[in-house]
Amino acid sequence: MIGGLFIYNHKGEVLISRVYRDDIGRNAVDAFRVNVIHARQQVRSPVTNIARTSFFHVKRSNIWLAAVTKQNVNAAMVFEFLYKMCDVMTAYFGKISEENIKNNFVLIYELLDEILDFGYPQNSETGALKTFITQQGIKGQHQTKEEQSQITSQVTGQIGWRREGIKYRRNELFLDVLESVNLLMSPQGQVLSAHVSGRVVMKSYLSGMPECKFGMNDKIVIDKQGKGGTTDEPGKSGKQSIAIDDCTFHQCVRLSKFDSERSISFIPPDGEYELMRYRTTKDIILPFRVIPLVREVGRTKLEVKVVIKSNFKPSLLAQKIEVRIPTPLNTSGVQVICMKGKAKYKASENAIVWKIKRMAGMKESQISAEIELLPTNDKKKWARPPISMNFEVPFAPSGLKVRYLKVFESKLNYSDHDVIKWVRYIGRSGIYETRC
Amino acid sequence: MTDSKYFTTTKKGEIFELKAELNSDKKEKKKEAVKKVIASMTVGKDVSALFPDVVNCMQTDNLELKKLVYLYLMNYAKSQPDMAIMAVNTFVKDCEDLNPLIRALAVRTMGCIRVDKITEYLCEPLRKCLKDEDPYVRKTAAVCVAKLHDINAQLVEDQGFLDTLKDLISDSNPMVVANAVAALSEIAESHPNSNLLDLNPQTINKLLTALNECTEWGQIFILDCLASYLPRDDRESQSICERVTPRLSHANSAVVLSAVKVLMKFMEMLPKDLDYYGTLLKKLAPPLVTLLSAEPELQYVALRNINLIVQKRPEILKHEMKVFFVKYNDPIYVKLEKLDIMIRLASQANIAQVLAELKEYATEVDVDFVRKAVRAIGRCAIKVEQSAERCVSTLLDLIQTKVNYVVQEAIVVIKDIFRKYPNKYESVIATLCENLDSLDEPEARAAMIWIVGEYAERIDNADELLESFLEGFHDESTQVQLQLLTAIVKLFLKKPTETQELVQQVLSLATQDSDNPDLRDRGYIYWRLLSTDPVAAKEVVLAEKPLISEETDLIEPTLLEELICHIGTLASVYHKPPSAFVEGSRGVQHKRLPPRAGSGESTESPDVGQSGPSEAPPAVIPSQGDLLGDLLNLDLAPPTATVPSVQPSMQMGAMDLLGGGLDSLLGGDIGGSPSMGAGLGAAPAAMPASLGGAPAVGGGLGDLFDLGGGVGMPTGSYVAPKTVWLLAMKAKGLEISGTFARRGGIIQMDLSLTNKAMSVMTDFAIQFNRNSFGLAPAGPLQVLTPLSPNQTIDVSLPLSTSGPVMKMEPLNNLQVAVKNNIDVFYFSCQYPLSLLFVEDGKMDRQVFLATWKDIPNDNEAQFQIKDIHLNSDVASNKLQGSNIFTIAKRTVEGQDMLYQSVKLTNGIWVLAEMRIQTGNPNYTLSIKCRAPEVCPFVYQCYELVLKN
């Protein structure tokens, strides 16, 4: 298991050092500084073995976190723990910086004592931790016996991520479906590869211990219901359902239930968290189509024409559109004409950058450019990197739809109807490229 | 005010100030002071002097202050065990506190204090806490058992904690179960044969239930524990798999990987024709792909594991090639791993895509990555025959770029393509030859030389090409030298008429001028082959080569099986068994997959798959040693030196042999004249020494040492041969070997400084760290002339014993710093204690008797000196040479008793009694001294002196 945990600043000075196992000595602190932080080269592996001691390290801005061990530990767990440690620290005092760490070192030691015992990660959900470790010192002196046992049962309990007794005057929840759509297209418009990776982020402000059930247009569920004849909109469901390649869930979701019934049920943490991640590859709505036309006029001139077409409902607006058209290294001058937005040749980036603030669906726009080239004797042909695009659209390119999010809280007097629910879809470009 | 201020106090007298503050009456001030202490502790300052003051703050009802004091205690209790006892009462009291958080805190902290006396007091509170009504206390106590076991395993067993821990597996609280499982698994690891975990269907069922309810970390503990279970049959195996598969959708990658481990292992037991088997295979792919969207460090862990999974079950990911395509902003370690997996997944179906990608990668910036990409193209050619042609032309394109490392890498892989597809692509040899000059790396040079030698008959100027390499033969690396030797011999066998001179030259270079045993041996073998039977030589040297395999870098099957059992762990990241990087008993146990289903073995007793150490085949791959060397090359331990030995007699023999041999070669008299036969006869006798037979080598070294010893032995005292203290590779080319001697009452350090670097070294200086007997240089290091490359200088440095004293571990350890114009280097060595035996160490008889009686018997140490065939007089004379004086001799019943005395430079007297029985080569030595820690070192000196 984890033998020790060190936090360093960028100079390699130790800010936090907590040793859990006898086999980790003080020299381990220095070994890491000398061999990794001061090595001044790119990190070639996130796990470094120095003198039979393994160091797992991650870097957050200027801060290094290193977990140390001499045993055959679960490596994936150590990294997950380090990320979690970062999350916990961020939840307590914001950005992870040298100043914040020094300002909160007592708190960090307390946390490290609580969430790692003899190197074994314990409950690390901030919701639970904040019930008894606070920045104003530890609670506990003035608690009643009931409060204490409530804390301990929550920390060790099945719902370690949520404390009891949360009360809101207004029960409200926000669902964000955030997708990033990735595309590689041939110059002829053939899709070489496309996938969407999506996240459902939930912000919950609900009283008590609400039982939630989340439903989306998952093909497997819809088909099952279709067979049973219980679907609300017969005939329509088949079209509107989507095939999900794979998904993972926050630990609050009952996985065995998902496995058997494919229903997503859970008691949510309080506040913001990521409910699920998913990936789809079939029937993706590609919000934009890029049609490139590159013509070489002699050896010193290139003519480029790029048309972009928006491919979604006319009532919707895409934002922050940016098209990057790469130019050869020996470009000497560029003239650009575009119908919409602004276009500029950026010599330092070897690209023409075309920006459009907004664009409605089912529209098209065009840019044409003349690129003057310096004659070179370089035999190597220009590799023609792909044209890439950035954008943001107010729908989910995978076609995912939230069908419902039901909230049940039997002990308190509010029902599903009293909860105010907000759903938002945001589709962003991931790596969205068209070869030319 | 923020806490960062605690880090900024650096003024002198801080400790005293802190002490005052710690004893202050004001609570706030106390707390501030403890915070300062912790801050100093963090940055590595020694604040152990404040121990009593900090412990005094422990009796407080302020929980924050208490936690800080506990933190301090955990750090320093070991260095102040007696003081730590002061804390025990508070701990015991806290374990009874009404607040469960405080009870848990006390038992948690107590377990971290590794002081025997405290551990004794821990047992009772721990027993109570294990049965506490509060689950938080129980889960903490469960881990505490593992802590205690680490300190005192016997105590844990005697107190029956293991049984209590086992009971906790049935606890109602899932976190208690998870921690109990973690603790038991850890304890079981250090008792490989105990049936501690005692997994049976009932406990497994409990674990699977807890799995659904506990924290993500707890799920990992449980899954890792499940993986060590062996189901009775395929039905049980399937039912466990069914209950584990939901974990594949967990957001925590470690949970996913541990679940994959369980599935991969239990799948072995499922019959392949089972529907469920296919379903399971299909279910495994998506989560593995999803792991690649995690943070880069986790991606790396996932990729290293996928690499294993792909080798074990290629069918799982065969359609997922695209997800392993490298992204522009992936960190380099992710890129390299993805590339590896791409090659493994390459097949006829996807080769076009893969090649297009690889070509793209070959133009990237990172040199390692580009090299690997080029190499990958070659591997694709070997793996997918249909693509070979395209690969070769891609490689030729890359060679045209003239980028040095790309060309070299391409040549290395083309060599393999030649071997795989003989007589197909040799037309490109001309292009390769054009790039001869740009090759500066051993591997590429060796590959090119191989090509020239192998296709000598097609290359018109092969002899010229090889001759050009031969010019700088001695500067080449071994790899190139060996290859060059072979290539020239091949050339000779193919074109004997024109190349006689060349082959003679290379044979003499290899056998006569080289001190590399491998090279010499290969030289001799070729030479003898050529001289005895050229036809046979042709058959041997130009034999048809075995086809090279399609897959490269495959992990050896038994190791692969073991690594599959370690999915998710460090072993799977390093691709090494745990025993290769874990010290002690932990992890030495080899894990194995369960027996394959369907072969009828699955119904056999489950022991078949149990990891009995005796039964497990040694999972050692040939290159493991190297890998381990790689892994540990930063080890801080002092290097064990090996001296390259050149035995003079051996060299003579070699010269002789060669003379005869070459004659016969030249004369073409292959039958062998009698004189030559004699020469040959000598060969076997001389060969073993260099072939590395253990005894012969020992002898060789001994010879060498004798030579060394002979140089510096003007007085009677024994001087050990020089050993290498500082390796050239660790000291930028400076090699230091040396020994110690005492000559005429003066202690000397004899050093040989060798410059193995390319540039001249000057400005030498030496300094010692404080040591047990205050050894210090009595003058500067006299290296007057600059040390030019390959030169060795012998220096004698007189030492005094008036330097600063500090006790070292071991006692005779000496840490030395040597400086030159390049850098400062550090090494440590050990000196024989006889160095410190002074000349006036002969004690008066009466005094001896009185002193002997006076020294308590506890201080007496007994040793055996074995295998000495000297009589008492010779022995006593020998010892006297090293200032061990015999005061009296007594003979009782055929036993000689020698009473001896030694005085050390710092005035310590050592008295000894040596018993010698006639006919018994083993002497008994009793040593008495007021400072008993020197006894073993005195004994060492005895042994050294008597045996030499």
Side-chain angles (χ1 to χ4, degrees), chain B residues 730-867:
Chain B
K730 300 226 169 179
K732 302 187 179 159
L734 175 65
E735 186 180 277
I736 298 181
S737 54
T739 185
F740 294 93
R742 187 179 181 93
R743 298 186 186 99
I746 295 164
I747 305 171
Q748 284 181 322
M749 186 180 194
D750 295 340
L751 293 168
S752 292
L753 310 176
T754 309
N755 180 355
K756 296 205 167 170
M758 306 300 283
S759 55
V760 175
M761 296 177 180
T762 55
D763 306 334
F764 284 91
I766 195 164
Q767 206 166 25
F768 295 174
N769 192 5
R770 287 187 288 169
N771 53 69
S772 316
F773 294 96
L775 281 175
L781 188 64
Q782 300 282 339
V783 183
L784 299 174
T785 50
L787 192 57
S788 45
N790 274 326
Q791 194 195 353
T792 302
I793 295 188
D794 289 324
V795 208
S796 263
L797 180 71
L799 306 182
S800 74
T801 53
S802 52
V805 176
M806 181 175 77
K807 195 177 167 192
M808 299 295 290
E809 193 55 50
L811 203 63
N812 59 344
N813 195 13
L814 182 66
Q815 295 176 333
V816 184
V818 170
K819 188 189 89 87
N820 63 11
N821 56 331
I822 299 168
D823 207 340
V824 182
F825 310 106
Y826 302 90
F827 61 87
S828 67
C829 51
Q830 294 177 6
Y831 48 90
L833 216 62
S834 55
L835 215 57
L836 307 162
F837 298 175
V838 294
E839 276 69 18
D840 61 344
K842 189 157 184 172
M843 210 179 226
D844 181 73
R845 270 183 183 219
Q846 295 304 320
V847 181
F848 182 92
L849 267 176
T851 318
W852 184 270
K853 276 187 196 150
D854 206 44
I855 299 174
N857 281 339
D858 286 350
N859 282 11
E860 185 174 340
Q862 275 220 349
F863 302 94
Q864 284 267 320
I865 308 173
K866 290 186 176 152
D867 274 316

Side-chain angles (χ1 to χ4, degrees), chain A residues 21 54 80 109 114 120 246, chain B residues 42 136 186 253 290 368 574:
Chain A
R21 296 267 172 158
S54 299
E80 283 283 5
Y109 275 125
E114 187 58 44
Y120 290 104
D246 187 40
Chain B
T42 300
Y136 183 79
E186 177 166 338
S253 311
T290 299
D368 283 351
Y574 291 150

Side-chain angles (χ1 to χ4, degrees), chain A residues 179-194:
Chain A
E179 294 195 339
S180 105
V181 53
N182 300 276
L183 169 78
L184 184 62
M185 193 177 252
S186 77
Q188 293 75 33
Q190 187 192 0
V191 176
L192 297 174
S193 77

